[in-house]
Amino acid sequence: MLKVLAVADPAVKVYVDENLNLLKDFPETIDFNVVPWSQYYTTMLDVFAGKADYDVIMVAGHLWLADFAEKGYLAPIELEEEDILPVILQEMKYKNKYYLSPSFCDGHMIVYRKSILKEKLGKIFDSVITPEEYVDAASKISSSGTPGAIAMKAHPSEIFTDALPFLRMGGKDVYDTETLEAMCSEESIIKGLEAYCGLRNYAFPDTDTYGNEEIALTIQNGTAAMAVTWSGQLGVVYNEDCVDKEDLGFSTFNTAWNVTWSFAISGGSKNKEKANELLRFLRSPKIDAIAGAHSGAPVRRQSYLEGKDNFPWYECQLSMIEKAKPLPNMLLAGDKNGVLYEEIAEAFGGRKTPAKAMADAKKRIDQIGI
């Protein structure tokens, strides 16, 4: 038997869906344990510390790869490149070795109601827009008397990555790609955070409690004119519960970020050969097409080409994946990004000014080290 630890994301439910039964053709019993996001990181660290026994674990792509590979938490894997998107293949590597096997992508996608944008703005979004255009649209829709023009994924556990396109709108990023130094106190990033916090004026009052499920619901029932969500949520959004699906339009940011949730083999696994077989099975063209249709974010080019007529966001999303800018591979990335989640939540909640929050973030991240 192989034991798998996976995060409780809607995109992951496809693997344990009893009706689909995707694992039935794999010649080994699979214990697929799905853990809530709020508990996932600590559960994963228990595996690495030898306190829990799993052969395969889900890893948030480049966010965690450097740390986990350097510490020996992950075993190198066998990966046939085939038609997996090249930018995704690059993310699976660390120091020229493959450690990750791609499952689905979570990148910034904008979903909006075409009828509302046509009425309020006189046009719909292009397939790629700037954060400034998004803010302007939210302001105009709100000023026309539309309550809750936007939904924001501003729960403290989501807020850093939700804000990231806006932090980047001045042309700089939160970390220097060469030195890995925190750059979050730069003036352009502070202005980006000010713009992001300003969006709260056009959002639902309780938007700081919103995660994936709340965003999906506001899109599905048409209460929000637009929202930013993850590409790995779009299959769930675009299901039979969605009101007037044909009214949904899709766009992305020119400052988008993407991470590829992936499967990895635990360095402590005693079943590495069988685990490699499972990873090969899970990223196969057949499984990628089926799982991708449910998550909305496959990893193979052929899945996008074959599914584009059924999934209207595929063309835009493929462009997003290929052009999105990742965060740099960093040691202690979880600790450093955790500071940004905390400080951005302080600014969004009005407890600190954006300038103060980013200055404090810079100081705290510098103390963690490079």
Side-chain angles (χ1 to χ4, degrees):
M1 181 176 72
L2 288 171
K3 293 186 67 177
V4 179
L5 177 68
V7 67
D9 188 284
V12 174
K13 291 179 181 178
V14 66
Y15 298 114
V16 293
D17 187 307
E18 293 182 356
N19 294 320
L20 290 171
N21 199 13
L22 290 187
L23 301 176
K24 69 180 184 300
D25 294 327
F26 187 73
E28 192 83 25
T29 302
I30 308 297
D31 179 10
F32 214 101
N33 188 20
V34 179
V35 174
W37 167 243
S38 59
Q39 304 167 27
Y40 189 74
Y41 195 80
T42 53
T43 305
M44 190 170 50
L45 293 183
D46 284 345
V47 176
F48 299 146
K51 298 176 183 177
D53 182 26
Y54 286 93
D55 300 292
V56 173
I57 50 178
M58 287 203 88
V59 173
H62 68 276
L63 276 181
W64 301 341
L65 177 55
D67 251 352
F68 293 176
E70 286 286 350
K71 292 175 179 175
Y73 293 163
L74 309 179
I77 69 164
E78 303 161 7
L79 195 153
E80 305 76 25
E81 298 183 356
E82 299 175 335
D83 72 330
I84 296 170
L85 295 169
V87 69
I88 293 177
L89 285 172
Q90 188 60 36
E91 188 181 358
M92 303 297 99
K93 285 182 182 178
Y94 182 69
K95 293 186 175 178
N96 294 317
K97 290 183 180 179
Y98 284 118
Y99 287 90
L100 304 179
S101 176
S103 172
F104 67 95
C105 288
D106 256 350
H108 289 108
M109 291 290 288
I110 303 161
V111 188
Y112 60 90
R113 288 285 169 179
K114 291 184 282 190
S115 58
I116 296 178
L117 265 65
K118 286 176 182 177
E119 178 188 351
K120 306 297 184 182
L121 308 179
K123 61 178 182 179
I124 61 173
F125 286 145
D126 292 334
S127 61
V128 181
I129 67 170
T130 66
E132 291 91 337
E133 289 177 285
Y134 190 84
V135 172
D136 183 62
S139 174
K140 288 177 178 174
I141 293 170
S142 182
S143 65
S144 70
T146 302
I150 59 172
M152 300 174 69
K153 195 182 296 185
H155 187 277
S157 68
E158 302 276 359
I159 198 165
F160 166 47
T161 45
D162 195 55
L164 189 53
F166 301 88
L167 303 181
R168 291 172 159 180
M169 61 192 259
K172 294 193 175 183
D173 216 331
V174 290
Y175 299 105
D176 184 280
T177 55
E178 299 296 329
T179 67
L180 306 182
E181 180 184 357
M183 306 297 289
C184 52
S185 60
E186 292 280 329
E187 183 179 353
S188 70
I189 294 176
I190 292 170
K191 287 184 177 179
L193 181 54
E194 289 172 348
Y196 178 76
C197 292
L199 284 171
R200 184 163 194 164
N201 297 324
Y202 318 127
F204 297 103
D206 58 346
T207 201
D208 56 349
T209 68
Y210 280 25
N212 287 326
E213 292 182 5
E214 292 80 7
I215 293 291
L217 184 60
T218 61
I219 295 170
Q220 288 180 321
N221 62 23
T223 55
M226 56 188 190
V228 180
T229 193
W230 292 125
S231 55
Q233 307 300 313
L234 293 181
V236 177
V237 168
Y238 201 78
N239 64 19
E240 64 276 4
D241 296 326
C242 186
V243 174
D244 195 8
K245 290 196 293 188
E246 300 303 313
D247 191 39
L248 292 184
F250 303 91
S251 182
T252 188
F253 288 118
N254 67 338
T255 53
W257 171 80
N258 179 67
V259 69
T260 307
W261 275 95
S262 308
F263 292 106
I265 298 175
S266 171
S269 170
K270 297 178 176 62
N271 302 299
K272 291 185 177 66
E273 187 174 337
K274 285 288 185 184
N276 259 303
E277 291 178 17
L278 176 61
L279 266 54
R280 191 175 289 112
F281 175 82
L282 291 174
R283 66 174 179 265
S284 66
K286 177 183 176 181
I287 300 297
D288 185 58
I290 298 171
H294 282 74
S295 71
V299 300
R300 290 178 176 269
R301 184 173 296 279
Q302 192 62 28
S303 297
Y304 282 96
L305 296 178
E306 293 177 353
K308 60 183 174 61
D309 292 336
N310 295 321
F311 308 108
W313 61 90
Y314 268 19
E315 185 175 352
C316 175
Q317 181 171 289
L318 180 58
S319 175
M320 179 276 294
I321 292 171
E322 294 179 329
K323 295 176 181 176
K325 183 181 178 184
L327 291 165
N329 270 322
M330 299 187 300
L331 299 181
L332 300 172
D335 295 335
K336 294 174 182 179
N337 291 336
V339 170
L340 290 167
Y341 280 101
E342 292 172 6
E343 295 294 347
I344 291 169
E346 290 292 294
F348 193 78
R351 295 176 291 276
K352 291 184 181 181
T353 66
K356 171 67 172 167
M358 290 296 91
D360 289 349
K362 163 73 171 168
K363 184 183 297 184
R364 292 175 61 191
I365 292 171
D366 285 350
Q367 288 172 349
I368 293 171
I370 299 297

